[in-house]
Amino acid sequence: MIVGEETLTIDTGSMLLSEADDCERLTGWTVNEWDKALMDNRANAVRFAYWLGRKRAGNPVEGDFADIEFDLGVVDWKVQTPEPVEDDGPRPTGKPPEADG
Protein backbone atom coordinates (compact mmCIF):
# COMPACT_ATOMS: atom_id res chain seq x y z
CA MET A 1 0.00 0.00 0.00
CA ILE A 2 1.46 3.33 -1.05
CA VAL A 3 -0.06 6.52 0.39
CA GLY A 4 1.75 9.50 -1.02
CA GLU A 5 5.39 8.95 -0.09
CA GLU A 6 4.63 6.27 2.55
CA THR A 7 4.90 2.59 1.60
CA LEU A 8 3.31 0.02 3.90
CA THR A 9 3.33 -3.77 3.60
CA ILE A 10 -0.10 -5.33 4.05
CA ASP A 11 0.06 -9.13 4.04
CA THR A 12 -3.59 -10.16 3.97
CA GLY A 13 -2.54 -13.81 4.15
CA SER A 14 -1.37 -13.33 7.73
CA MET A 15 -3.52 -12.01 10.57
CA LEU A 16 -2.87 -12.37 14.30
CA LEU A 17 -5.92 -12.97 16.48
CA SER A 18 -5.28 -9.61 18.15
CA GLU A 19 -5.28 -7.95 14.71
CA ALA A 20 -8.54 -9.74 13.85
CA ASP A 21 -9.98 -8.40 17.11
CA ASP A 22 -8.80 -4.91 16.12
CA CYS A 23 -10.42 -5.30 12.70
CA GLU A 24 -13.78 -6.26 14.22
CA ARG A 25 -13.57 -3.52 16.87
CA LEU A 26 -12.56 -0.73 14.48
CA THR A 27 -14.55 -1.65 11.35
CA GLY A 28 -17.34 -3.92 12.56
CA TRP A 29 -16.26 -6.51 9.96
CA THR A 30 -14.70 -9.93 10.28
CA VAL A 31 -11.33 -10.34 8.54
CA ASN A 32 -13.05 -12.03 5.56
CA GLU A 33 -15.57 -9.18 5.31
CA TRP A 34 -12.76 -6.63 5.58
CA ASP A 35 -10.79 -8.37 2.82
CA LYS A 36 -13.81 -8.22 0.50
CA ALA A 37 -14.49 -4.58 1.45
CA LEU A 38 -10.84 -3.76 0.71
CA MET A 39 -11.25 -5.20 -2.79
CA ASP A 40 -14.29 -2.91 -3.16
CA ASN A 41 -12.19 0.08 -1.98
CA ARG A 42 -14.53 0.80 0.92
CA ALA A 43 -13.31 3.73 3.05
CA ASN A 44 -13.11 1.89 6.40
CA ALA A 45 -11.40 -1.07 4.73
CA VAL A 46 -8.70 1.19 3.26
CA ARG A 47 -8.48 3.03 6.58
CA PHE A 48 -7.92 -0.27 8.46
CA ALA A 49 -5.31 -1.42 5.92
CA TYR A 50 -3.41 1.82 6.56
CA TRP A 51 -3.86 1.47 10.34
CA LEU A 52 -2.68 -2.17 10.23
CA GLY A 53 0.29 -1.41 7.98
CA ARG A 54 1.47 1.37 10.29
CA LYS A 55 1.02 -0.86 13.37
CA ARG A 56 2.98 -3.71 11.78
CA ALA A 57 5.74 -1.28 10.74
CA GLY A 58 6.15 -0.17 14.37
CA ASN A 59 4.73 3.28 13.66
CA PRO A 60 1.13 3.04 14.91
CA VAL A 61 -1.42 5.69 14.03
CA GLU A 62 -1.90 8.24 16.78
CA GLY A 63 -5.42 9.45 17.52
CA ASP A 64 -8.76 8.00 16.60
CA PHE A 65 -9.23 5.48 13.81
CA ALA A 66 -12.07 7.56 12.38
CA ASP A 67 -9.72 10.54 12.09
CA ILE A 68 -7.43 8.79 9.57
CA GLU A 69 -7.79 10.98 6.50
CA PHE A 70 -6.09 11.02 3.13
CA ASP A 71 -7.03 11.37 -0.52
CA LEU A 72 -7.96 8.00 -2.05
CA GLY A 73 -6.50 9.38 -5.27
CA VAL A 74 -2.99 9.16 -3.81
CA VAL A 75 -3.37 5.53 -2.71
CA ASP A 76 -1.63 2.97 -4.89
CA TRP A 77 -1.43 -0.78 -4.48
CA LYS A 78 1.56 -2.87 -5.45
CA VAL A 79 0.72 -6.55 -5.38
CA GLN A 80 3.60 -8.80 -4.48
CA THR A 81 3.37 -12.42 -5.50
CA PRO A 82 5.46 -15.09 -3.83
CA GLU A 83 8.51 -16.30 -5.69
CA PRO A 84 7.75 -19.51 -7.60
CA VAL A 85 9.18 -22.64 -6.04
CA GLU A 86 11.20 -24.78 -8.38
CA ASP A 87 10.05 -28.37 -8.62
CA ASP A 88 12.99 -30.78 -8.40
CA GLY A 89 10.85 -33.67 -9.59
CA PRO A 90 9.25 -36.52 -7.68
CA ARG A 91 10.04 -37.00 -4.02
CA PRO A 92 10.74 -40.42 -2.51
CA THR A 93 7.84 -42.01 -0.66
CA GLY A 94 7.57 -44.83 1.82
CA LYS A 95 9.64 -45.67 4.86
CA PRO A 96 13.08 -44.12 5.25
CA PRO A 97 15.97 -46.57 4.89
CA GLU A 98 17.09 -48.29 8.07
CA ALA A 99 20.28 -46.93 9.58
CA ASP A 100 23.14 -49.43 9.78
CA GLY A 101 24.27 -50.01 13.22
Side-chain angles (χ1 to χ4, degrees), residues 45-87:
V46 174
R47 193 174 276 124
F48 182 72
Y50 180 79
W51 184 93
L52 181 62
R54 293 272 308 257
K55 179 181 176 189
R56 287 180 175 179
N59 186 22
V61 172
E62 295 180 16
D64 291 333
F65 176 75
D67 292 339
I68 296 171
E69 182 70 75
F70 49 81
D71 182 353
L72 281 175
V74 302
V75 177
D76 196 11
W77 299 96
K78 181 179 178 186
V79 178
Q80 294 180 328
T81 55
E83 294 292 322
V85 177
E86 291 187 30
D87 186 3

Side-chain angles (χ1 to χ4, degrees), residues 5 14 25-26 30 32 35 38 48 51-53 55 59-60 63 77 81 86 93 96:
E5 300 295 318
S14 173
R25 178 177 53 83
L26 294 170
T30 65
N32 289 340
D35 194 41
L38 188 59
F48 182 72
W51 184 93
L52 181 62
K55 179 181 176 189
N59 186 22
W77 299 96
T81 55
E86 291 187 30
T93 59

